[in-house]
Amino acid sequence: MTPQTANPSEASSPSPTALERGRAIVAQLNPGLEAVLAERYDEMVPDFAETLVEYAYGRLYSRPGLDLKTRQIATVAALTALGGQTGPQLRVNLEHALAAGASRGELLEVILQMSVYGGMPAAINGMNTAMELFDDQDAEKA
């Protein structure tokens, strides 16, 4: 039996939906991501951006058990091990990992570690993606 609140006006506000949780995480990691995805994909696949934000960020990234930095490091590892075809997603998730508190050194170590599991070519592609991102970030600061 679920406990009832005696006075409905005293009820706590409902917990955020998966979409709301996802949008909060995206706002922290990459403000504007949903809009970019919507502009690129939603005409051909309606609600693609919202679905990705709701599912990936609102249902998976928001789960208890791992902090956001650890989840992003795991994502970087997986995308690196999958190889070169994931370069664009790897770059975005490297940015997200940095926004979540990972250091450049930690990310390079994760990429190197994936040479055991994805092969040296996958690690080289991952290193190249990371180095390009870091160079771009440094150039923006200069």
Side-chain angles (χ1 to χ4, degrees), residues 90 107-109 111-112 122-132:
L90 177 58
L107 296 175
L108 293 172
E109 286 297 323
I111 291 168
L112 177 60
I124 290 169
N125 289 336
M127 290 287 183
N128 288 336
T129 299
M131 290 168 54
E132 289 169 10

Side-chain angles (χ1 to χ4, degrees), residues 53-71:
V53 168
E54 178 180 8
Y55 181 70
Y57 295 95
R59 296 197 182 275
L60 299 179
Y61 278 83
S62 68
R63 291 177 54 83
L66 290 176
D67 63 21
L68 194 51
K69 176 183 168 184
T70 303
R71 287 186 190 281

Side-chain angles (χ1 to χ4, degrees), residues 103-118:
S103 71
R104 288 178 175 190
E106 287 174 315
L107 296 175
L108 293 172
E109 286 297 323
V110 167
I111 291 168
L112 177 60
Q113 183 70 25
M114 291 305 101
S115 66
V116 176
Y117 303 98

Side-chain angles (χ1 to χ4, degrees), residues 12-87:
S12 62
S13 61
S15 59
T17 66
L19 181 57
E20 292 167 337
R21 290 190 309 270
R23 284 180 172 154
I25 292 172
V26 168
Q28 178 184 346
L29 297 178
N30 189 346
L33 176 65
E34 185 176 358
V36 168
L37 292 170
E39 183 178 323
R40 180 156 177 102
Y41 299 111
D42 279 5
E43 184 177 328
M44 293 186 60
V45 184
D47 301 322
F48 176 83
E50 186 175 286
T51 300
L52 184 140
V53 168
E54 178 180 8
Y55 181 70
Y57 295 95
R59 296 197 182 275
L60 299 179
Y61 278 83
S62 68
R63 291 177 54 83
L66 290 176
D67 63 21
L68 194 51
K69 176 183 168 184
T70 303
R71 287 186 190 281
Q72 280 303 146
I73 286 174
T75 302
V76 166
L79 290 169
T80 299
L82 286 169
Q85 76 276 12
T86 65

